[in-house]
Amino acid sequence: MAKEDDVFIGAIDQGTSSSRFIIYNSEAKPIGSHQVEFTQFYPQAGWVEHDPMEILESVKVCAAKAVDKATADGYNVDKNLKAIGLTNQRETTLVWSKSTGVPLYNAIVWMDARTTAICSRLEKELSGGKRHFAESCGLPLSSYFSALKLLWLMENVDAVKEAIKKKDALFGTIDTWLIWQLTGGLKGGLHVTDVSNASRTMLMNLKTLDWDASTLKELGIPAEILPKIVSNAEVIGNVAAGWPFAGVPIAGCLGDQHAAMLGQACGKGEAKSTYGTGAFILLNTGDEIVKSSHGLLTTVAFKLGKDAKTSYALEGSVAIAGAAVQWLRDSVGMISSSPEIEDLAKQVESAGGVYFVPAFNGLFAPWWREDARGVCIGITRFTTKAHIARAVLESMAFQVKDVLDSMHKDAGGVESSEFLLRVDGGATINNLLMQIQADLTGSPVIRPADIETTARGAAFAAGLAVGLWKEDYIFDSKDKMKNATVFRPVLAEETRKKKVDSWCKAVTRTFDLADLAL
């Protein structure tokens, strides 16, 4: 097919630090893309915010530039763009005015820890403690999830209180905000979210895939501010005038980790780990809702159409992965660019007994310790910055291993016979990190030729909804794994066990440190 006659799917990939727009051809190959970084705000220790208007503008710029690039290369994107898929950072929460379209406060980012006091209060007040809502939503009480961020906004921001009282408030995660704007905003914008993002709010019932009335009542959250929940692959609405692709249907929407699962073609029993700001490991459990007794989350994997079966997943979320490398670069000045960490860490054969635990805002799965804070232990006069750099890389791999160990315990019967970890995300270009991961898990690690699987998953969902691709094509793993790089473990089992024991000792040293004097 001549490239001017090909058909295309666009993917908005809105992440924690940047937005991207990627255009895929009918063979699911990228033919044009653009990325824009936006600002992260840190108003207080443990607080992280984004400006929703800046996010919106970054998406608009990305889309225009990506279309321009593809057009300049001879692709007739304007005429043959069939659908848009959207994927986004999950749990990040905002409330805006229905009448003005203006956000009533900055978006509170998923890793923000300001709701720790609310968590503690609810744990004491609710009969089920930390797992009071887990039966319906699969999630523990944690500062991670959107419901508690919404409670904080309702309790602490006068503009939000007033808007709710006047029935002028709309709640949403970033997908909801972008779709509302993309479909017209004040002029008929659609107020929707999808099952994967909704499953991360603590407010959606995993069985009914609808907002859970008893949870809303107990938390005092009015149902009228919540968006409608849709599947991951269906035509939601058309893009409004004023956008580079006006009139094109938005036909796919998934939270970023669910999109990466789809982009990695993870069927039942298969797992992937995405390495970005954090690290997110998901295991597809098929249509079975597997409850965790080892510190994991039960969540929706995806629902690929209105009438499609729902696939569920076990997930372990690591708050700080690539963000630890950014910290070394931006706050400590040990490296001047993120890729430098690999060469620095390669200068030594081991971390020399140094263990770094990046519990900057507490620890997520499987520990769930909001009182944890970062530590670096085992330092001697022998320690160099190369040892610390290697310990930072190891910390990412150790945290992923902790989650995988819990998955093996919770869902051993669900996993495929030979366990392979599929990896994606920006940090996977680091070959040393990938080898460390294989060594610490004792299982092969597979990195696809295209590591941007999040955007690809959003494109797959949209293409599926408009009939460009079928599920068989999307889940053809052999095709997806062509040209993949495989990292196989070489570390001796005895050495691995000693290192894991030392890591666990280091993790316990992070507990109960949230109240250290300033």
Side-chain angles (χ1 to χ4, degrees):
M1 186 185 288
K3 62 183 179 181
E4 66 271 14
D5 298 325
D6 202 354
V7 293
F8 308 103
I9 300 288
I12 297 168
D13 182 0
Q14 194 291 306
T16 307
S17 58
S18 66
S19 299
R20 292 181 306 160
F21 191 85
I22 301 178
I23 302 165
Y24 292 89
N25 66 11
S26 59
E27 296 177 337
K29 293 194 170 100
I31 53 99
S33 69
H34 192 75
Q35 182 166 335
V36 172
E37 290 197 3
F38 51 82
T39 315
Q40 299 205 55
F41 301 98
Y42 304 96
Q44 296 184 31
W47 291 29
V48 191
E49 297 176 1
H50 290 155
D51 176 352
M53 299 308 291
E54 188 183 2
I55 287 177
L56 184 64
E57 185 59 26
S58 72
V59 169
K60 196 173 273 193
V61 169
C62 283
K65 298 266 189 186
V67 170
D68 287 348
K69 286 177 184 176
T71 304
D73 287 339
Y75 296 97
N76 196 344
V77 176
D78 281 335
K79 180 185 172 190
N80 293 330
L81 188 64
K82 295 302 179 190
I84 303 288
L86 167 66
T87 181
N88 59 288
Q89 53 169 316
R90 304 172 303 167
E91 296 97 15
T92 297
T93 302
L94 68 152
V95 177
W96 66 96
S97 163
K98 196 189 302 185
S99 60
T100 67
V102 175
L104 301 175
Y105 190 82
N106 272 345
I108 301 178
V109 179
W110 58 271
M111 69 178 81
D112 183 287
R114 76 185 66 189
T115 59
T116 301
I118 294 177
C119 287
S120 300
R121 184 185 82 209
L122 289 173
E123 265 190 66
K124 289 171 188 160
E125 289 176 1
L126 297 169
S127 59
K130 199 176 190 73
R131 296 193 61 79
H132 184 78
F133 300 111
E135 183 62 33
S136 78
C137 70
L139 310 174
L141 280 169
S142 166
S143 62
Y144 186 15
F145 305 115
S146 309
L148 300 181
K149 301 179 198 302
L150 175 57
L151 285 183
W152 187 92
L153 289 167
M154 289 167 61
E155 292 175 8
N156 293 279
V157 180
D158 290 339
V160 172
K161 291 180 199 172
E162 193 64 24
I164 289 175
K165 194 185 295 180
K166 292 180 174 177
K167 301 198 180 303
D168 185 42
L170 294 176
F171 155 83
T173 42
I174 297 296
D175 59 308
T176 304
W177 165 246
L178 289 176
I179 291 171
W180 188 79
Q181 293 283 1
L182 281 160
T183 56
L186 291 174
K187 298 176 181 175
L190 299 170
H191 189 217
V192 301
T193 189
D194 73 274
V195 289
S196 64
N197 277 295
S199 76
R200 314 299 297 187
T201 61
M202 270 182 50
L203 303 175
M204 189 189 84
N205 186 299
L206 285 177
K207 291 175 186 166
T208 66
L209 303 184
D210 207 349
W211 303 119
D212 190 82
S214 62
T215 303
L216 297 182
K217 186 177 179 183
E218 285 192 88
L219 294 177
I221 292 172
E224 63 265 20
I225 72 173
L226 304 179
K228 176 187 173 186
I229 301 173
V230 299
S231 77
N232 300 118
E234 64 180 85
V235 174
I236 297 167
N238 291 347
V239 176
W243 286 84
F245 33 80
V248 174
I250 300 169
C253 182
L254 308 94
D256 51 9
Q257 304 314 317
H258 313 263
M261 275 196 100
L262 190 57
Q264 286 270 37
C266 285
K268 182 176 178 179
E270 295 174 332
K272 69 90 202 172
S273 178
T274 298
Y275 301 76
T277 303
F280 303 88
I281 307 91
L282 279 84
L283 172 71
N284 187 332
T285 61
D287 57 8
E288 184 183 352
I289 298 175
V290 177
K291 294 175 184 175
S292 175
S293 54
H294 295 90
L296 302 180
L297 311 175
T298 304
T299 191
V300 168
F302 35 68
K303 180 181 171 67
L304 300 178
K306 285 183 186 180
D307 300 318
K309 271 189 176 180
T310 306
S311 287
Y312 294 93
L314 279 173
E315 174 173 347
S317 305
V318 171
I320 302 294
V325 179
Q326 293 168 350
W327 174 77
L328 274 190
R329 180 192 68 196
D330 301 335
S331 301
V332 182
M334 193 177 286
I335 50 177
S336 55
S337 69
S338 296
E340 282 179 29
I341 192 170
E342 183 171 10
D343 287 336
L344 181 57
K346 273 182 174 175
Q347 291 175 14
V348 290
E349 289 186 5
S350 75
V354 175
Y355 288 81
F356 177 80
V357 188
F360 297 162
N361 289 40
L363 288 170
F364 285 179
W367 308 97
W368 298 108
R369 293 292 298 241
E370 289 169 2
D371 60 343
R373 289 297 178 266
V375 301
C376 187
I377 65 171
I379 298 170
T380 66
R381 283 293 301 271
F382 171 71
T383 304
T384 67
K385 63 181 183 180
H387 292 106
I388 292 172
R390 193 164 182 121
V392 168
L393 290 184
E394 287 189 352
S395 75
M396 295 163 70
F398 274 122
Q399 290 180 97
V400 170
K401 178 183 166 45
D402 287 342
V403 170
L404 288 171
D405 285 349
S406 292
M407 280 182 176
H408 297 325
K409 291 169 188 168
D410 278 333
V414 174
E415 292 171 356
S416 46
S417 53
E418 185 194 8
F419 186 79
L420 308 168
L421 180 64
R422 303 170 189 220
V423 297
D424 55 71
T428 59
I429 60 171
N430 187 318
N431 289 329
L432 178 59
L433 172 61
M434 294 297 95
Q435 186 57 53
I436 290 170
Q437 187 68 79
D439 284 339
L440 292 180
T441 55
S443 301
V445 167
I446 299 177
R447 181 180 64 198
D450 177 9
I451 60 171
E452 302 302 346
T453 58
T454 306
R456 182 185 292 268
F460 277 154
L464 187 64
V466 297
L468 179 59
W469 298 307
K470 296 195 178 302
E471 277 195 50
D472 288 350
Y473 173 79
I474 291 170
F475 286 97
D476 180 1
S477 297
K478 287 178 188 169
D479 182 59
K480 304 295 176 299
M481 290 302 150
K482 255 192 251 175
N483 304 317
T485 305
V486 180
F487 298 86
R488 299 193 179 278
V490 294
L491 195 66
E493 182 61 35
E494 188 182 351
T495 307
R496 180 186 303 122
K497 188 176 183 316
K498 284 179 180 174
K499 286 175 75 72
V500 169
D501 289 346
S502 296
W503 162 257
C504 291
K505 189 182 289 187
V507 169
T508 64
R509 301 297 192 270
T510 70
F511 299 164
D512 197 26
L513 296 181
D515 296 328
L516 291 175
L518 297 175

